Amino acid sequence: MMRSVMKRLDDMAAMDADTAARQGREALFRDMPRLETPRLTLRAPKMEDAQDMYAYSRDPEVARYVLWDAHRGLWDTRAYLRAVIRRNRQGGPGTFAIAEKASGRMIGTIGFMWIDADHRSAEVGYSLARDCWNRGYATEALRETLRFAFEQLGLNRVEGQCDVRNPASGRVMAHAGMRYEGRLRERIFLKGEYADVRLYALLHRDWLALTGSE
């Protein structure tokens, strides 16, 4: 009887800890922190970003391998921003605006597609203006997002996926320290066809080794 009571108490304590962790994550997304890298600021998106976002989100090349279609007009961008802002305010999963420090321009987004609280895992996704490709910005933003995921959200695993026809995105994840875990056949239905994806992931212990924090 005593063993059964103690097990129930342990289970309740674990549930309370999990609930507190989930509520903490949701609070972070409702009041998103401002993250800084040498060249970038990751911050909460705002409606004033609409013009900057439309400038790159209307580009078919930017939209080619992401789940959303190229924006047809500023109204599409405003609707997208409203949805992102609403989801952040509801506790996420959160999305950051990526802003270039030198110009102040919003040049992309990075954030979480989903978060599994039970297993402390998540998927990260990002998009960036085409004139900012090949400058290391995506890797810089991803590294900071991974730091946030492990150090502030308390996650154990962060994964990302990219269309096999988009090797540049895979290189971004690899440069940020994520490890290639395999090819998933016809994992997504993208722009009218099934597409294979490459899966990358990073564990908390990998992050500690990368940053010398072990």
Side-chain angles (χ1 to χ4, degrees):
M1 175 66 75
M2 179 60 70
R3 184 175 302 169
S4 176
V5 170
M6 293 301 294
K7 184 179 185 307
R8 285 201 299 271
L9 290 174
D10 288 343
D11 289 344
M12 290 173 62
M15 288 175 60
D16 288 344
D18 289 343
T19 299
R22 177 180 55 79
Q23 291 175 343
R25 284 191 290 270
E26 291 176 353
L28 275 172
F29 291 137
R30 281 194 292 268
D31 186 17
M32 295 192 76
R34 191 179 183 90
L35 309 180
E36 303 281 348
T37 73
R39 297 179 294 171
L40 305 171
T41 298
L42 277 57
R43 56 164 176 76
K46 53 190 179 182
M47 291 306 298
E48 290 81 358
D49 292 322
Q51 196 66 58
D52 285 345
M53 176 179 267
Y54 177 58
Y56 73 80
S57 61
R58 65 184 176 182
D59 184 342
E61 283 302 304
V62 172
R64 187 175 180 185
Y65 296 117
V66 296
L67 297 178
W68 45 268
D69 293 323
H71 293 187
R72 298 159 298 168
L74 200 53
W75 62 86
D76 276 346
T77 306
R78 287 176 176 144
Y80 181 86
L81 273 171
R82 285 191 200 98
V84 168
I85 292 168
R86 184 183 309 116
R87 190 169 71 161
N88 285 352
R89 288 175 177 169
Q90 291 173 345
T95 296
F96 290 96
I98 305 172
E100 187 181 41
K101 283 183 175 179
S103 66
R105 177 169 63 115
M106 190 265 210
I107 58 171
T109 59
I110 189 166
F112 300 95
M113 312 297 290
W114 50 263
I115 294 179
D116 186 330
D118 290 336
H119 301 289
R120 294 199 299 156
S121 60
E123 180 185 347
V124 68
Y126 45 85
S127 60
L128 199 67
R130 183 150 46 129
D131 66 332
C132 294
W133 292 359
N134 301 314
R135 297 171 63 183
Y137 279 175
T139 299
E140 192 170 317
L142 180 55
R143 282 178 180 149
E144 180 61 16
T145 303
L146 291 169
R147 185 202 63 77
F148 174 75
F150 294 123
E151 295 182 6
Q152 294 187 251
L153 297 182
L155 298 181
N156 179 62
R157 173 184 168 91
V158 179
E159 60 188 55
Q161 57 184 343
C162 66
D163 192 306
V164 295
R165 297 165 296 180
N166 185 20
S169 185
R171 288 193 293 271
V172 166
M173 290 185 276
H175 290 159
M178 300 177 77
R179 300 183 183 182
Y180 175 61
E181 293 192 339
R183 179 171 179 151
L184 307 180
R185 297 182 302 151
E186 298 188 1
R187 175 68 175 81
I188 57 175
F189 189 71
L190 181 69
K191 309 293 193 291
E193 61 182 335
Y194 289 102
D196 293 2
V197 303
R198 291 170 64 89
L199 179 67
Y200 291 78
L202 191 69
L203 302 181
H204 181 248
R205 67 172 181 266
D206 301 331
W207 173 256
L208 292 177
L210 280 173
T211 58
S213 303
E214 287 184 306

